[in-house]
Each structure stands twice: as structure tokens, then as C-alpha cells.
Amino acid sequence: MYLNTIALSPERIQRFQEIASTSIGPLIEGAIKYTIPLAIIAFSIGLIIAIFTALARISSSKFLRAIARVYVSIIRGTPLLVQLFIIFYGLPTIGITIDPFPSAIIGFSLNVGAYASEIIRAAILSIPKGQWEAAYSIGMNYSQALRKIVLPQAARVSVPPLSNSFIGLVKDTSLAATILVAETFRRAQEIASMNYEFLFVYVMAALVYWVICFILSIIQGRIEIRLDRVVGKTGGLS
Amino acid sequence: MISIQGLKKSFGSQEVIKNVDLEIEQGKVVVIIGPSGSGKSTLLRCLNVLETPNGGVLSIDGQKLDFNSAVSKKSISAFRRLTGMVFQSYNLFPHLTTTGNVTEGLTTVKGLSRKEAVKKAELLLDKVGLAEHKDKYSFQLSGGQQQRVAIARALAMDPKVMLFDEPTSALDPELVGEVLRVMKDLAHEGMTMAVVTHEMRFAKEVADEVIFIDQGVIVERGAPAEIFNYPKHERTKKFLSLLQV
Ligand SMILES: Nc1ncnc2c1ncn2[C@@H]1O[C@H](COP(=O)(O)OP(=O)(O)O)[C@@H](O)[C@H]1O
Ligand SMILES: [Mg+2]
């Protein structure tokens, strides 16, 4: 009896087809309206936070270094899910109420900021000291040397790890379902709670994420080939 | 033109430059020789304040920096603009083309328009014989070509003094000549130059004065013919005999 209900009878397969055609729309809508914008906006804000955090971490000011270290340590040392709950469910108890989507933006931006700052810091430190010295020797100050000479080279070094972070972020945005953002996975939960076809609906959601990440990895490959061509794979950055 | 008085530099407890005095007149070429680790690079790097001296007074073209008291960042960068530096390892900017390497300082530091900067870069690249390589990146150039770009990059800033730190030491022997030729032209045009090098022929032909430095002190100085043929100090004799083996 029990076995029977989960078997793949012709009627069940037909039901899958119906569910697929009615739910693919909402899933893709969730991706286009929430998952992708959330990832892009949070990544952009996160990168800005990350650059400043990386600069603070390599600065000569003990105070800035300490602030940056504490920030990175807190974000990396606590679960993203807990951070999202603190922002969305926790802050209202002290009178700060933020809508689901902005809450998610804040949480993911802070997260990207901390993780990407480590990537950018390593990239900046990987640029040989001679590049700074050459920049100073033609009269540049610290910020000119940084903006014109070091960061452009560090950016190229950090493209591969940062694009991995971005792909990771796209998947992590599914956690926003827990704070009521109507993104891809939340749509899947809603659909599945109505038709009880959990396996089928969640696999569909998984496919939506996979397609997005697959496209991103193709773009990533293209960018890396182009950077190699510009800088020269051999010794360009040494 | 250049005056160094009582220059001192230590790294931790190690005294690398010990109370060095040196004058270089306008338009003169001074070649600095000495054993590895004797402080030659540090001396040059103090002159453009890539290393901050622990004491002493530097002066170039009437601008003075007194390291016996506090020195502001602003006065350091103004002072540094009087000098151009060429490094042993070229240190070209790999993300910029040959032209970009030369124009970067002009646009960013001197505030020239892109057009003016490119025009100036073309003149300089022509001068160092690299006009046809203006759109290449450094990884597409030989070491000798890279070093000539580095010279053009430094010259673009109109320095009063050019500092060369072993500019040909990293080069294959057949590429040394093209870099020395550019330096020779520069000397003949009247550029004031301080050159750390072990190219004795260059020193004999171009230098007005040779300075032998060992363990952070100037041991001996004089005209090239004098130093090379009749060194007075034992340490100079020993160093020169090792070079000529
Ligand atoms: N940044 C530095 N930190 C510590 N020690 C240094 C540094 N730069 C140079 N030194 C030391 O100072 C001494 C002189 O170095 P340098 O001026 O490079 O000599 P040279 O150019 O004559 O070979 C060496 O013993 C070297 O190890
Ligand atoms: Mg040296």
C-alpha cells in the first residue's frame, strides 16, 4: 500500500508534467526577481566592503587593523543562517524592523565583505614590492600607487577566487527563504507544501540553481581567458 | 646639485650606511662600486627616500630634507620627484603597455592630459629606441627592452637626477650594450647620474668619478683611471682584483 503510493505510475508521471508546467514559471520568476538580483546587489556592496576591509587589514593603523579583524572574525565564525535570523527576527525586538529583501541584502553583503576581503588582501599582498616602489619612484603617493598600479593587478589575481565566491553566493541566497524572501527556493517550498511532491519540486528548484551556476561558470572561464591574454600567462604578474 | 651629509641608515641593529658624505655636481656621472651587501642599493634608495634614513641631510637642486628631525610625507614626495630611479629588476607595470608605463606618471602625478602624455611618451620611446614596441606589454619585451622602457618611464617625470641600481645585472650579456648605450646618451646630454654598476667599461668611458663603498662607508673615490689603475686602499685593490678575474 505504502510502496504503491510512491511508485511511478503513469498517472503520477502525468501529474509531474502538470506540476512542472505550472511551477516552472514561479520558480524562474523567483530566480529573476530575487535570487539573481540578491546575488548581484549583495556581491557588489560586499566587494566595496571587502576592498576597504582588506585595506584596513594591511594598513599601518593598529585601530583599523583591529576593527577589520574583529569584523572578519565575527562573520566567518558564525553561521550565515544565524546572521540572517539576527537581522530579520532579532533586530525588530529592539525596534529595528527591516523588510525581508533588504535584510537579506545586508546579511549577504556583510558575508561577502568578510570572505572576499581575505581574497583581496591576499591578492594585494601577492603584488611584488617592486611595483609599489616603481610607483613611488615616479612620484605617486600611497593612494595613487594603490589605485593605479596595485589594485588593477590585484583585481586580475582575484578574479578566479572571487568568481567562485559569487557562484557560492548564488547558492547561499536560498537561505533567504527562511526570512521570507520569495526567491527560488521559497517558491519551491510553497509549491511543494500544496502538492506534497517534495522530491520533484525540490529537484526542479535545484535544476534552476544549477542552470544559473552553469552559465556563470562559462562566463567565468571566458573572463579568465581574456585576463590571461591581456596580462600574459607567463610572468605577466611576476 | 646633490649633497649628502652625515647620512645614516640602519636595519634593526645593523648599521648599513655609516655617516656618508657625498657631493655630486650638476651634469656629473658618479659610478658606485663595492662588494655585495656593502650598502650601494641602500645609499641610492635613501637618495629618493624609498628607505627613510635614520639621520643626515639630503639636498638635491636646492631642496633639502633634514632627517635629524621629523620629515613630512609631503616633503618626501616633493623631494622624490626630483629623482628618477631605474631598478635591477625593471619593475615595469605589467598591466600597462609600454606607452602606458610612460604615461601613467604624467597623467596621474603631473596631471597632463592623455593626449599630451602620449605625445611625450612617443618622444621618449623614440629616444630609447622602442617606438615600434609602444603597444606591447612587458611580457612581450626582452629584458633589455624592458629596462629601456623603465628608463623612459623615469625620464618622463623630468627628474633632476637619475639613479640606476645595477640596471644591467639581470640582463643576458648580449642585451647589456643596448641599455648602456641609452645611459651613455643620457650622460652626454648632461643628466646628473648616480649609477651602481659593475660594468667597468661603462665606468671608464662615462663616469666622472668612481666611488668605492664597503661596509657602509666610502672607502675611496676618484677619477675612474685613478681608482682602477692606482687604487690606494687594500680593500679597493682586493675588490678590483676579484672583479677582473
Ligand atoms: N629592507 C631591508 N631589511 C633588512 N636588511 C636590509 C634591507 N635592505 C638591505 N638590507 C641589508 O643591508 C645591507 C646592505 O644591502 P644593500 O644596500 O642592498 O647592499 P648592496 O646593494 O651593496 O648589495 C645588506 O646586509 C642587506 O642584507
Ligand atoms: Mg644592491
Side-chain angles (χ1 to χ4, degrees):
Chain A
M1 177 63 193
Y2 185 68
L3 260 181
N4 218 15
T5 59
I6 62 168
L8 287 173
S9 59
E11 297 77 48
R12 186 114 186 268
I13 288 174
Q14 206 202 327
R15 193 167 130 75
F16 283 173
Q17 283 168 348
E18 276 160 29
I19 293 172
S21 62
T22 56
S23 60
I24 189 71
L27 289 180
I28 289 176
E29 193 196 339
I32 289 172
K33 276 174 82 171
Y34 293 100
T35 302
I36 294 171
L38 182 55
I40 291 175
I41 296 170
F43 198 71
S44 308
I45 298 173
L47 271 188
I48 294 168
I49 298 173
I51 290 173
F52 284 106
T53 307
L55 292 178
R57 288 213 55 184
I58 59 175
S59 86
S60 53
S61 155
K62 226 175 176 170
F63 177 68
L64 287 180
R65 283 204 309 269
I67 292 183
R69 236 195 345 262
V70 169
Y71 159 62
V72 172
S73 165
I74 289 174
I75 298 293
R76 298 218 303 177
T78 56
L80 179 50
L81 186 59
V82 175
Q83 294 162 18
L84 291 174
F85 270 49
I86 289 174
I87 294 166
F88 185 69
Y89 297 109
L91 290 183
T93 64
I94 55 165
I96 304 169
T97 306
I98 308 170
D99 284 343
F101 191 71
S103 292
I105 294 280
I106 293 169
F108 288 111
S109 299
L110 288 174
N111 221 262
V112 171
Y115 282 92
S117 77
E118 293 290 286
I119 293 171
I120 291 170
R121 182 174 78 111
I124 291 174
L125 293 178
S126 79
I127 305 305
K129 210 171 128 232
Q131 290 292 311
W132 287 98
E133 292 185 343
Y136 290 141
S137 79
I138 55 169
M140 290 190 184
N141 56 31
Y142 175 82
S143 99
Q144 291 168 332
L146 184 74
R147 278 183 294 119
K148 298 289 186 166
I149 304 303
V150 175
L151 282 184
Q153 294 180 58
R156 284 164 166 79
V157 176
S158 43
V159 162
L162 284 179
S163 41
N164 285 336
S165 301
F166 185 66
I167 290 173
L169 174 65
V170 168
K171 294 180 287 178
D172 284 347
T173 57
S174 59
L175 289 173
T178 62
I179 58 168
L180 315 184
V181 177
E183 49 70 66
T184 313
F185 186 56
R186 181 149 190 100
R187 304 281 173 110
Q189 287 179 314
E190 284 163 2
I191 294 164
S193 69
M194 291 186 298
N195 59 27
Y196 298 105
E197 288 290 359
F198 293 101
L199 178 67
F200 185 73
V201 174
Y202 289 156
V203 167
M204 273 186 63
L207 280 174
V208 171
Y209 286 104
W210 184 59
V211 168
I212 296 172
C213 292
F214 183 74
I215 294 169
L216 286 175
S217 69
I218 290 172
I219 296 172
Q220 177 186 15
R222 292 254 168 96
I223 293 175
E224 281 172 27
I225 289 170
R226 245 188 58 194
L227 286 180
D228 282 345
R229 219 181 288 146
V230 172
V231 186
K233 197 147 192 144
T234 48
L237 288 172
S238 65
Chain B
M1 181 65 175
I2 304 182
S3 137
I4 301 172
Q5 285 162 32
L7 185 70
K8 291 192 189 91
K9 176 66 188 174
S10 304
F11 291 110
S13 60
Q14 187 196 5
E15 234 188 318
V16 175
I17 298 291
K18 300 165 190 162
N19 222 343
V20 162
D21 297 314
L22 183 65
E23 309 273 333
I24 303 177
E25 283 171 43
Q26 169 111 39
K28 299 290 182 199
V29 176
V30 170
V31 162
I32 301 164
I33 58 172
S36 172
S38 58
K40 306 180 295 295
S41 297
T42 306
L43 177 61
L44 282 194
R45 292 162 59 82
C46 283
L47 258 178
N48 73 351
V49 206
L50 279 182
E51 302 291 353
T52 310
N54 298 104
V57 181
L58 297 178
S59 142
I60 295 178
D61 200 35
Q63 274 197 49
K64 215 178 228 189
L65 279 186
D66 185 347
F67 289 96
N68 301 314
S69 53
V71 176
S72 74
K73 267 192 187 151
K74 216 171 177 172
S75 58
I76 287 177
S77 61
F79 189 84
R80 195 176 279 142
R81 256 170 251 165
L82 302 168
T83 67
M85 184 147 199
V86 175
F87 302 87
Q88 180 175 349
S89 49
Y90 336 127
N91 298 351
L92 287 190
F93 305 133
H95 62 300
L96 301 175
T97 61
T98 296
T99 302
N101 267 273
V102 181
T103 55
E104 187 61 70
L106 292 171
T107 52
T108 302
V109 179
K110 289 210 158 175
L112 262 62
S113 73
R114 175 102 210 113
K115 214 166 142 194
E116 293 170 304
V118 168
K119 211 163 132 197
K120 183 157 190 187
E122 272 170 4
L123 287 175
L124 285 163
L125 289 173
D126 203 34
K127 183 181 169 132
V128 299
L130 290 173
E132 73 269 38
H133 299 292
K134 65 184 169 64
D135 296 323
K136 290 190 178 166
Y137 288 90
S138 52
F139 71 95
Q140 297 168 305
L141 300 173
S142 74
Q145 291 168 336
Q146 290 189 54
Q147 194 60 299
R148 286 184 283 149
V149 177
I151 293 172
R153 174 178 70 182
L155 288 175
M157 305 309 287
D158 295 320
K160 302 284 181 194
V161 182
M162 283 287 285
L163 310 171
F164 293 85
D165 192 0
E166 304 206 35
T168 59
S169 297
L171 294 176
D172 291 333
E174 76 272 18
L175 301 177
V176 169
E178 63 192 57
V179 172
L180 292 183
R181 206 167 315 122
V182 169
M183 291 169 62
K184 222 181 264 181
D185 290 347
L186 210 51
H188 288 144
E189 283 167 25
M191 175 62 78
T192 310
M193 293 163 57
V195 185
V196 174
T197 185
H198 294 139
E199 293 292 333
M200 292 304 137
R201 279 233 344 247
F202 176 83
K204 280 175 198 165
E205 288 172 24
V206 182
D208 296 290
E209 189 171 34
V210 173
I211 286 170
F212 175 68
I213 173 170
D214 191 17
Q215 294 174 9
V217 294
I218 294 178
V219 176
E220 189 166 351
R221 56 189 294 186
E226 215 175 297
I227 298 273
F228 292 137
N229 300 327
Y230 313 104
K232 293 191 192 71
H233 289 259
E234 271 317 306
R235 283 195 273 174
T236 321
K237 284 180 196 166
K238 203 170 142 208
F239 175 73
L240 289 172
S241 70
L242 287 173
L243 269 191
Q244 268 137 31
V245 175

